[in-house]
Amino acid sequence: MKFTRITIDPNVFGGKPCIRGMRFPVSRLLGLLASHETEETILKAYPYLEAEDIHEALQYAAFK
């Protein structure tokens, strides 16, 4: 499966999977969701994220 919004770069955040090359790890986004944060509250708190980022992070977690 190909992920267009999840990037892994050894020079960014220690090579951990991040959202679109930003220093925002997928694990942090998944942690917010696991803590019962809603998509709306996440997008409000992190305006540089997009709904598609959240959806792809969930797909990535299910794939792994």
Side-chain angles (χ1 to χ4, degrees):
M1 180 170 223
K2 183 171 173 137
F3 297 97
T4 58
R5 293 177 170 269
I6 309 296
T7 55
I8 300 173
D9 181 342
N11 297 315
V12 177
F13 214 75
K16 293 183 180 181
C18 291
I19 303 296
R20 293 184 284 125
M22 297 184 283
R23 293 184 174 274
F24 198 97
V26 171
S27 60
R28 182 174 183 185
L29 182 50
L30 295 173
L32 290 168
L33 292 167
S35 298
H36 304 290
E37 291 290 338
T38 65
E39 184 175 310
E40 294 80 19
T41 59
I42 293 170
L43 294 175
K44 187 174 180 180
Y46 304 95
Y48 46 85
L49 293 178
E50 300 171 357
E52 293 81 10
D53 297 327
I54 295 171
H55 302 157
E56 190 159 302
L58 288 168
Q59 290 176 338
Y60 181 83
F63 183 74
K64 290 293 175 177

